[in-house]
Amino acid sequence: MKQNLIVLSIITGILLFVGLVYFFLKPDNTYTDRLKVKNTWDLPFVLREISGISHIDDLRMACIQDEEGIIFIYDLEKQEITDEIQFGPRGDYESVRIIDSVAYIMESSGKLFKINNFESNHSEIEIYQTGFSRKNDIESFDYHDHSNTFLTIPKNKNLSNFSDDFIIYKINSSTYKIEEQPYSSLKTEDSIFQVNKFFFAEKNIYPSELAIHPETGEIYILDSKIPRLLILNSNGSFKKIYKLNPKDFQQPEGISFDSQGRMYISNEESGFLKQNIQLVEWE
């Protein structure tokens, strides 16, 4: 009888331990059900590390990958790459923005490539050092019409070594240098950023891209480490944050809006999931 009680106690202890481990280690599956994938374009192998997208028009997308200094023009209707535009050597290119006939490409080191008349045989390339460095790891970049500046967020370290805040910096649209006054700053210790992951609470956002909504002026920011979409009001204050289901968004690295304000997100290859561009809508 005593032996049976000992066995029962051991089994109970094991089950309790397993239950506690599951409670703390179970994945946080509170993914948003508001964001639905409406269409998916699987991309060719050369774009397996697609790191940025930007609309040229509603049917053509400028794409970059983080190793080759090439702008790949992808036709959404034809579902194929229709042109390749060389702009630089091998590097670590993370963001592309098309503004009229000018293409801007941001390297992770903060080096900015400006290609005037990028689709022309007579394009001109200008290169600027913004003031960021490789330790900042710049992956986000977009033009902010209201302030006539470009906005960006370091993925790793801010310019101040003593600040862990989530800071959106402004880059002057004439000199392409960092402006002294940032656009906005949020406290990373705020509970709005917290995601429970195993025994730890992950609070940092690691921006892989930002894009400004053409109609509302809201700032959309992707996090590829823990797939999330952070939305800020046009003044840079917090609005909403959504956790994205990794079954649909395995590694979101690019975001762009078409002329109708529809949102497109690109994902790098990850595991068994192929690199793609997705049209997503709110429901």
Side-chain angles (χ1 to χ4, degrees):
M1 182 69 177
K2 185 177 180 180
Q3 186 176 8
N4 291 338
L5 289 175
I6 294 174
V7 173
L8 181 61
S9 297
I10 293 173
I11 293 174
T12 302
I14 292 173
L15 292 175
L16 180 61
F17 175 77
V18 171
L20 289 172
V21 170
Y22 174 76
F23 177 79
F24 284 108
L25 298 185
K26 66 179 180 179
D28 181 0
N29 291 327
T30 55
Y31 308 122
T32 181
D33 58 359
R34 288 202 55 210
L35 203 59
K36 302 295 185 182
V37 177
K38 294 299 182 181
N39 201 352
T40 299
W41 291 265
D42 288 334
L43 299 173
F45 182 76
V46 69
L47 288 173
R48 64 193 180 282
E49 295 189 36
I50 184 170
S51 54
I53 57 174
S54 184
H55 280 84
I56 301 172
D57 51 49
D58 284 354
L59 292 179
R60 294 184 303 147
M61 193 84 76
C63 308
I64 57 169
Q65 55 111 308
D66 62 7
E67 293 181 350
E68 301 291 341
I70 299 173
I71 301 174
F72 298 88
I73 308 300
Y74 186 82
D75 192 300
L76 298 172
E77 188 173 55
K78 296 178 180 178
Q79 301 183 43
E80 62 182 18
I81 294 173
T82 56
D83 199 4
E84 297 182 14
I85 301 168
Q86 183 89 35
F87 68 86
R90 290 178 62 85
D92 186 13
Y93 303 103
E94 296 292 348
S95 184
V96 58
R97 286 294 169 231
I98 304 299
I99 303 175
D100 298 325
S101 62
V102 180
Y104 296 88
I105 293 94
M106 178 66 81
E107 197 175 27
S108 63
S109 64
K111 184 186 294 183
L112 180 64
F113 292 75
K114 179 183 179 183
I115 303 96
N116 298 296
N117 301 311
F118 73 99
E119 290 190 278
S120 167
N121 292 327
H122 305 288
S123 62
E124 298 178 353
I125 300 175
E126 303 170 22
I127 302 175
Y128 298 91
Q129 299 289 346
T130 61
F132 291 106
S133 67
R134 194 166 299 280
K135 69 179 182 180
N136 304 120
D137 196 5
I138 303 298
E139 293 195 5
S140 56
F141 184 78
D142 200 5
Y143 177 69
H144 187 250
D145 184 69
H146 183 70
S147 64
N148 189 31
T149 62
F150 293 95
L151 303 185
T152 189
I153 314 166
K155 189 175 183 179
N156 287 328
K157 293 183 178 180
N158 291 321
L159 294 177
S160 170
N161 292 327
F162 304 101
S163 174
D164 291 327
D165 293 348
F166 186 77
I167 300 175
I168 300 179
Y169 291 92
K170 294 187 293 185
I171 296 176
N172 189 282
S173 60
S174 297
T175 64
Y176 302 103
K177 296 290 186 181
I178 305 164
E179 294 195 350
E180 183 176 350
Q181 184 67 33
Y183 186 75
S184 71
S185 178
L186 299 173
K187 298 292 183 182
T188 54
E189 63 263 25
D190 196 309
S191 61
I192 60 177
F193 293 127
Q194 183 169 314
V195 172
N196 293 322
K197 189 178 182 184
F198 302 116
F199 290 104
F200 305 97
E202 175 65 73
K203 289 187 177 181
N204 289 334
I205 291 281
Y206 299 90
S208 57
E209 187 58 287
L210 72 79
I212 299 165
H213 195 284
E215 297 174 356
T216 66
E218 294 170 337
I219 303 169
Y220 286 63
I221 300 164
L222 284 174
D223 178 358
S224 61
K225 183 175 181 180
I226 299 175
R228 286 178 285 181
L229 177 64
L230 170 65
I231 303 177
L232 305 181
N233 294 307
S234 58
N235 63 359
S237 62
F238 174 80
K239 180 177 180 179
K240 194 73 176 179
I241 189 166
Y242 297 95
K243 190 174 180 194
L244 306 177
N245 193 329
K247 291 181 179 179
D248 296 321
F249 305 95
Q250 69 268 21
Q251 191 171 336
E253 294 279 347
I255 183 171
S256 182
F257 294 97
D258 67 13
S259 64
Q260 302 176 54
R262 295 181 300 184
M263 182 166 58
Y264 293 72
I265 292 176
S266 62
N267 293 273
E268 286 190 6
E269 175 190 47
S270 181
F272 296 102
L273 299 174
K274 193 174 182 180
Q275 62 278 359
N276 60 45
I277 295 173
Q278 297 169 319
L279 169 63
V280 295
E281 292 183 0
W282 297 102
E283 289 188 356

